[in-house]
């Protein structure tokens, strides 16, 4: 299914549920700032967001470059270099597999 036919969800990172955040971290293990896109919101203002697609939704997670950097810096799942820790990655991948078989 293409992203254009999926419902678009524009949300702040802090308001996402835990599973979606985990999937995002697995998809962007080297941080978010290099993957931000710009788009016009419903008011015509240009905003930046992190695109993320699931089987059901196309997310645009609102954040600026500085917010993207701050999220990674403040998240214990990432190391000092801004990379997702290997043990965290393995744990999230295992949880994801477990959910698929429930």
């Amino acid at each position: 299914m293409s992203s254009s036919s999926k419902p678009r969800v524009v949300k702040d990172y802090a308001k996402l549920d835990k599973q979606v955040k985990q999937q995002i971290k697995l998809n962007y293990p080297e941080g978010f700032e290099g993957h931000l896109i710009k788009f016009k919101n419903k008011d015509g203002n240009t905003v930046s967001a992190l695109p993320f697609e699931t089987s059901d939704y196309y997310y645009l997670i609102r954040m600026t470059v500085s917010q993207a950097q701050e999220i990674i810096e403040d998240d214990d799942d990432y190391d000092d270099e801004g990379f997702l820790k290997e043990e965290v990655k393995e744990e999230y991948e295992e949880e994801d597999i477990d959910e698929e078989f429930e």
Side-chain angles (χ1 to χ4, degrees):
M1 179 181 266
S2 73
S3 59
S4 62
S5 61
K6 293 180 184 179
R8 283 184 169 225
V9 178
V10 180
K11 238 179 184 181
D12 293 324
Y13 184 79
K15 294 181 180 176
L16 296 170
D17 67 38
K18 180 183 171 188
Q19 281 93 358
V20 173
K21 284 183 182 178
Q22 287 178 351
Q23 290 175 357
I24 290 169
K25 290 176 185 182
L26 287 173
N27 203 57
Y28 297 106
E30 297 178 8
F32 309 144
E33 73 177 276
H35 302 281
L36 298 179
I37 62 168
K38 293 189 184 297
F39 69 98
K40 297 243 185 230
N41 66 10
K42 64 181 180 344
D43 299 323
N45 299 321
T46 301
V47 294
S48 61
L50 180 71
F52 179 69
E53 195 169 346
T54 66
S55 56
D56 298 322
Y57 298 101
Y58 181 75
Y59 287 93
L60 290 168
I61 301 133
R62 285 185 296 247
M63 65 178 74
T64 63
V65 170
S66 60
Q67 288 169 327
Q69 293 168 341
E70 189 177 314
I71 289 168
I72 299 302
E73 287 171 12
D74 294 345
D75 192 329
D76 291 336
D77 289 348
Y78 287 86
D79 64 20
D80 293 338
E81 303 297 316
F83 297 105
L84 188 62
K85 295 176 183 173
E86 193 60 38
E87 64 271 14
V88 172
K89 181 180 177 187
E90 290 170 6
E91 177 187 330
Y92 287 173
E93 287 172 340
E94 194 172 293
E95 284 180 29
D96 199 33
I97 290 169
D98 290 344
E99 287 177 14
E100 286 179 22
F101 292 105
E102 286 182 354

